[in-house]
Amino acid sequence: MQTIGEPRTMQAWADATRARGERIALVPTMGALHEGHVALIAEARRRARRVVVSIFVNPIQFDRRDDFARYPRTLEDDAARCAAAGVDVIFAPSPGAMYPEGFQTAVEVAALTEPLCGKVRPGHFRGVTTVVTKLFHAVRPHLAVFGEKDWQQLAVVRRMTADLDFGIEIVGVPTVREADGLALSSRNRRLGPEDREAARCVPRALDAAAEMAATGETRPAMIVARARMEIAAEPRAQLEYAELRDPETLEEVEEATAPALLGVAVWVGGVRLIDNRLLVPVECEGRSARSGRAPDGPPGAVEAERGSARFGRRGPGASEEAERGGAARAPDGPPGSLGGQDR
């Protein structure tokens, strides 16, 4: 395994690898790797001959300098984890290498970035799409692997990749969860013991909403209200949003008669936690909530997600096949401010 810090050096490696006819998979991260990332790497390894993990704490997706400064940086530990997972290259550029003096270009996706996290964190997804574009140009992958924990991010990256004709396959991988259901995230390490216990209200809320949908409730207001009740019952938690959306377009759902995405953002102990669940009515087999057809956005076919996005994957400690999922990261800040992203 080698570590590369300059985009041009990364491009040269990629060009040589492509010339040998070898497929390249990219796993974009901001470091502080955990078992969710390992699951992403395992999926990348399954699909490509060479795997590149990018580790870059992206300054342009943070709205506050203290958030950026506090983001965990554990490159030595991350390198050891990557080596054990069979990664070929770590691409770990500096901010100056990615955004040299005079840099003034941005890449932006419109409608998909407006609801959910985009509504409370203006500019965040512009930072994400800009850095992902630069990572794509540096690594020149055939495919890139993202976790479904940040479903909106996955949808945005898919849209950008298609719209700009990158010719890169975007692979979504189910969320890896702790034994109690909490989605794995680099953010979790910032939770104290009491806050970590309180954070269990997030998967409980998703479970409660999923149960309602599975037993026939189709009114979004009722489903969302059930999730809100679980969050409200935890005094250490503050709900930022809970919304039911079409899994493909992220438009609001008028009636949950087809698979619908419940997205939530919750603050616990000053840490912003995001999660989601694909709610699948019992009678529904593979139709989106908006159009009645199988969504072509993340993660793909609804049928494949009945056991993944709906229930998640349990980890760590599962076998590679069982834990094949991913978690994305979201930098946090106090309620009402912008955060970052958990990739």
Side-chain angles (χ1 to χ4, degrees):
M1 187 182 73
Q2 60 181 305
T3 300
I4 296 175
E6 293 294 328
R8 288 186 180 180
T9 305
M10 186 71 251
Q11 289 171 344
W13 180 92
D15 288 344
T17 301
R18 279 176 166 266
R20 294 193 298 269
E22 297 176 343
R23 280 171 60 82
I24 301 169
L26 168 65
V27 180
T29 83
M30 292 205 298
L33 303 185
H34 50 66
E35 288 299 316
H37 297 106
V38 173
L40 298 181
I41 294 169
E43 183 66 15
R45 173 61 67 199
R46 188 178 73 81
R47 292 171 176 264
R49 181 76 174 88
R50 300 296 180 188
V51 175
V52 177
V53 171
S54 65
I55 297 177
F56 179 63
V57 183
N58 180 31
I60 67 171
Q61 67 188 61
F62 290 82
D63 74 312
R64 291 168 43 229
R65 290 185 179 181
D66 62 331
D67 284 346
F68 176 69
R70 289 184 300 127
Y71 196 86
R73 291 161 172 82
T74 58
L75 185 57
E76 184 175 344
D77 291 342
D78 292 344
R81 194 179 283 270
C82 285
V87 171
D88 295 283
V89 175
I90 293 175
F91 179 46
S94 66
M98 291 293 278
Y99 307 115
E101 185 177 355
F103 186 90
Q104 53 186 288
T105 301
V107 179
E108 190 164 10
V109 174
L112 284 173
T113 64
E114 294 173 2
L116 302 172
C117 287
K119 183 168 56 178
V120 294
R121 297 150 66 190
H124 164 69
F125 285 112
R126 182 173 61 247
V128 171
T129 47
T130 299
V131 76
V132 170
T133 296
K134 289 185 67 67
L135 291 173
F136 283 175
H137 285 309
V139 179
R140 299 181 179 177
H142 295 83
L143 64 102
V145 184
F146 294 81
E148 291 172 0
K149 177 170 160 292
D150 194 333
W151 187 293
Q152 185 176 18
Q153 173 184 276
L154 180 55
V156 168
V157 170
R158 283 188 191 274
R159 184 75 270 161
M160 176 191 75
T161 302
D163 288 352
L164 299 184
D165 302 313
F166 277 113
I168 297 170
E169 179 186 1
I170 305 301
V171 178
V173 182
T175 302
V176 175
R177 299 182 179 277
E178 300 279 7
D180 62 3
L182 185 67
L184 286 179
S185 171
S186 301
R187 294 288 144 196
N188 295 352
R189 68 180 63 194
R190 294 180 54 193
L191 295 168
E194 292 183 352
D195 290 330
R196 174 59 184 81
E197 178 68 20
R200 296 175 62 187
C201 69
V202 178
R204 283 201 305 268
L206 297 177
D207 289 344
E211 183 177 353
M212 287 191 73
T215 55
E217 179 60 68
T218 62
R219 293 168 293 177
M222 297 300 294
I223 295 171
V224 171
R226 184 67 185 88
R228 287 177 174 270
M229 283 177 59
E230 288 293 333
I231 304 300
E234 173 49 63
R236 303 181 73 89
Q238 179 178 341
L239 180 68
E240 184 175 85
Y241 69 73
E243 298 182 17
L244 205 60
R245 295 273 172 170
D246 181 271
E248 178 184 353
T249 67
L250 301 185
E251 294 175 358
E252 288 185 301
V253 171
E254 295 183 359
E255 188 176 14
T257 55
L261 180 74
L262 176 62
V264 300
V266 181
W267 290 88
V268 180
V271 178
R272 185 177 188 268
L273 304 174
I274 60 170
D275 207 342
N276 63 72
R277 185 67 54 84
L278 190 66
L279 308 185
V280 184
V282 172
E283 70 279 5
C284 172
E285 295 293 338
R287 291 178 294 119
S288 77
R290 180 182 62 89
S291 60
R293 57 189 172 85
D296 53 17
V302 167
E303 182 62 27
E305 290 311 300
R306 292 180 67 92
S308 60
R310 187 178 177 194
F311 297 107
R313 298 283 192 234
R314 300 293 174 173
S319 67
E320 177 181 308
E321 185 65 27
E323 76 177 3
R324 185 164 293 145
R329 284 181 313 219
D332 43 87
S337 74
L338 305 186
Q341 149 236 19
D342 193 4
R343 287 191 294 113

